[in-house]
Amino acid sequence: MSMPLIDSFGRLHTYLRISVTDRCNLRCRYCMPSEGLQWKKREELLSFEEIERLAAIFVGMGVNKIRLTGGEPMLRRDFPELVARLARLKKSGLKDLAMTTNATLLAGQAALLKEKGLSHINISLDSFKPERFEQITRLSCFDTVKAGLHEAIAAGFSKLKLNMVVIAGFNDDEILDFAAFASEHKINVRFIEFMPFKDNDWQIDKVVTFKEMKTTLDKHFQLSPAKQEAGDVARDFELAGGGSLSFITSMSESFCSSCNRLRLTSDGSMKSCLFYPAEINLRDAMRQNASDEELRGMIRGCLAGKPEAHPPAEEIAARDNRSMIEIGG
């Protein structure tokens, strides 16, 4: 194995998020600009062979967890084949192969993906109310998502998490409903503070902080702090009787000091930080016949520029960074 991926501030990086497409069949308001996007052409996207090659290089440099994202990753043609290809890296040091999905295409596929080697799955769902779901996603497919969610629960993935972006005055009144769902189905629900991205109508007064959410939950549920692993970005709590709740506190309590993740966009750019505009394109280098050693050098160069922490929320909102869907969820 090559030298581990340690940045200028001593942080060890073992987690890679790979966006396999920028396309999505939903139009979530906090993720996609209201005017939409110009999708990447097929030839601009990393091929399966290129994704597999880069994933193998990262695993050789110490990455032991890969998460497939989008857009919506299941829109990528022959997606189960990609899962099977990457699952082979478990022989080379990969421990976890995960996916984040909106679950619109999950019904009928969950068991197959687990069979192909997918071990963890995160499902993005911001409301249990069909009308509200349609308001935030700009599409009417709540029943389809619900079916995919329940099929994933039945498939028995080693970890299943339900992601909820909490927005003040919109869906914060459903926090207790999501906690009850976690308790009933013995899964993890993650409450995510609303984060600023290009043209997503972010405002500071729309952020519901971790402390505010936990104060509400403590009145109705018994939460016990869970054991945290190195690099965890969430604040985790066990629910009495089963299930768990987590909080992604990007806005109120930065977790930059323990960040262990890197990102690869669908068009092959590596980003060392979600909120840092700088990136380096590995796709172009591969297509110009760069060797694995040259690619490793580019990866280390990108990591060397990783900032110690992201700036305040208002400054992030003003930066010229890619939108969330372009970076990878």
Side-chain angles (χ1 to χ4, degrees):
M1 186 175 76
S2 301
M3 292 290 290
L5 290 163
I6 299 175
D7 69 8
S8 304
F9 304 96
R11 294 171 296 199
L12 176 64
H13 293 71
T14 59
Y15 181 7
L16 176 66
R17 299 173 70 93
I18 303 176
S19 175
V20 301
T21 179
D22 60 336
R23 294 176 182 263
C24 190
N25 50 359
L26 299 183
R27 298 290 184 272
C28 296
R29 296 176 183 275
Y30 58 80
C31 182
M32 184 181 293
S34 57
E35 67 274 14
L37 290 168
Q38 184 70 42
W39 304 125
K40 299 292 182 185
K41 297 177 182 177
R42 183 173 182 178
E43 60 268 21
E44 294 180 271
L45 300 178
L46 290 172
S47 67
F48 282 7
E49 290 76 16
E50 289 168 335
I51 292 173
E52 187 177 7
R53 180 185 176 189
L54 287 174
I57 289 173
F58 275 99
V59 170
M61 300 175 82
V63 164
N64 57 36
K65 179 177 181 178
I66 290 176
R67 177 173 298 279
L68 301 175
T69 71
E72 169 48 48
M74 293 188 68
L75 284 174
R76 186 74 185 255
R77 184 179 298 176
D78 298 323
F79 179 71
E81 177 193 338
L82 177 61
V83 171
R85 284 178 177 231
L86 297 180
R88 293 198 290 262
L89 294 174
K90 291 180 180 179
K91 297 177 181 179
S92 306
L94 183 67
K95 294 180 181 179
D96 300 325
L97 182 58
M99 172 181 71
T100 295
T101 176
N102 61 27
T104 55
L105 302 172
L106 196 54
Q109 294 289 307
L112 173 63
L113 291 172
K114 185 184 178 189
E115 177 186 325
K116 294 292 186 181
L118 195 72
S119 53
H120 300 176
I121 188 166
N122 286 17
I123 294 174
S124 299
L125 179 64
D126 304 306
S127 177
F128 285 133
K129 300 180 179 181
E131 301 83 6
R132 187 176 284 176
F133 174 88
E134 183 174 351
Q135 185 180 352
I136 198 166
T137 64
R138 301 185 177 107
L139 287 170
S140 178
C141 56
F142 176 79
D143 289 342
T144 302
V145 171
K146 184 178 178 181
L149 167 60
H150 284 282
E151 185 169 316
I153 292 172
F157 288 92
S158 58
K159 285 186 180 179
L160 191 153
K161 299 177 181 180
L162 190 59
N163 292 344
M164 177 196 187
V165 175
V166 182
I167 302 174
F170 178 73
N171 63 352
D172 51 331
D173 59 336
E174 294 189 64
I175 289 173
L176 297 178
D177 295 334
F178 274 77
F181 190 89
S183 178
E184 177 185 356
H185 294 281
K186 306 299 184 284
I187 65 169
N188 175 258
V189 163
R190 300 201 309 171
F191 299 111
I192 303 173
E193 293 179 351
F194 186 26
M195 293 180 278
F197 287 96
K198 186 177 181 180
D199 300 326
N200 75 341
D201 196 30
W202 180 91
Q203 296 173 27
I204 190 66
D205 60 1
K206 292 184 179 180
V207 176
V208 183
T209 67
F210 156 61
K211 288 183 179 179
E212 291 170 330
M213 288 187 272
K214 189 168 183 300
T215 296
T216 298
L217 289 159
D218 281 337
K219 296 174 183 178
H220 301 271
F221 296 91
Q222 183 180 336
L223 278 64
S224 304
K227 183 180 179 181
Q228 302 284 142
E229 298 180 6
D232 281 351
V233 299
R235 300 280 297 271
D236 299 322
F237 296 85
E238 300 291 342
L239 284 166
S244 61
L245 303 180
S246 301
F247 302 84
I248 306 295
T249 64
S250 306
M251 297 295 97
S252 64
E253 297 182 17
S254 170
F255 41 77
C256 296
S257 63
S258 60
C259 181
N260 70 339
R261 57 186 59 195
L262 301 168
R263 294 173 180 268
L264 190 62
T265 67
S266 61
D267 57 358
S269 285
M270 176 183 166
K271 288 178 71 72
S272 62
C273 174
L274 178 61
F275 298 117
Y276 187 46
E279 54 188 57
I280 187 168
N281 194 280
L282 302 176
R283 178 204 63 197
D284 292 348
M286 281 192 294
R287 293 179 183 180
Q288 292 166 10
N289 299 316
S291 66
D292 286 2
E293 187 56 38
E294 288 171 324
L295 292 170
R296 283 191 285 267
M298 293 176 69
I299 290 168
R300 294 193 186 282
C302 183
L303 181 60
K306 183 168 183 171
E308 184 175 11
H310 64 68
E314 291 84 351
E315 186 176 332
I316 294 172
R319 277 190 168 184
D320 186 20
N321 194 10
R322 294 210 216 190
S323 63
M324 182 64 160
I325 193 170
E326 292 175 295
I327 298 170

